Amino acid sequence: MSQSPSPSPVSAPPAYAERLRLPWWLWFAGLAAAGLLAVEVWMGAGGARAWLPFALLLPAAFAGLAWLGRIRVAVADGELRVDDARLPVRFVADAIALDAEGRREVLGVGADPLAFVVQRPWIPGAVQVVLDDPADPTPFWVVSSRHPVELAEALLAARDAAR
């Protein structure tokens, strides 16, 4: 009787996943600005100056806009992942969904210089993750999210499941 090989450990699908992409109008505005700058450099000249500004500025603008929308936020495998940062859910004391006004308050008047912040101005919502780690001076994280209630719920559910 042959035995089938045991399946390799595969991580569970994320309880929450989101990419903080740019809205379409920012893509349009950024590429239009790069095109206008290329036209300004070109100014009707011939030779390399006719095509070089377009060949350099438009791809550079595209790359810059893609880089701005690269951040991924996920709750998976017992941790909150924000780009390259990882936070084990066992250190989460609370997760508070913030609307635009709440985000403004936390990052303005209520700001703490030790807080970890990943904020995208084109996304109005955010989640404030209050930490309970005596070894870490960071009091809380503030993470932009288009769906802050769902992110906060997924984070608290992952924390409760880990305990």
Side-chain angles (χ1 to χ4, degrees), residues 21-148:
R21 300 178 196 265
L22 274 74
W24 68 269
W25 58 268
L26 269 177
W27 279 93
F28 178 76
L31 292 174
L36 286 172
L37 183 59
V39 168
E40 284 292 321
V41 173
W42 167 48
M43 291 190 348
R49 203 163 137 204
W51 59 268
L52 193 58
F54 297 97
L56 294 176
L57 292 174
L58 290 176
F62 185 86
L65 291 167
W67 181 80
L68 284 173
R70 80 190 187 289
I71 301 293
R72 294 179 190 269
V73 177
V75 177
D77 299 328
E79 61 186 10
L80 170 62
R81 300 175 185 166
V82 181
D83 197 22
D84 293 336
R86 305 281 191 260
L87 174 66
V89 294
R90 69 179 179 270
F91 296 124
V92 173
D94 198 9
I96 304 159
L98 304 170
D99 59 1
E101 187 61 36
R103 179 179 59 108
R104 194 172 308 119
E105 178 73 24
V106 168
L107 295 177
V109 176
D112 188 318
L114 295 177
F116 176 78
V117 178
V118 175
Q119 190 261 86
R120 294 297 181 249
W122 56 87
I123 299 175
V127 173
Q128 180 182 17
V129 182
V130 181
L131 303 183
D132 182 22
D133 183 6
D136 188 357
T138 306
F140 57 86
W141 286 23
V142 178
V143 180
S144 287
S145 175
R146 286 191 173 83
H147 310 286

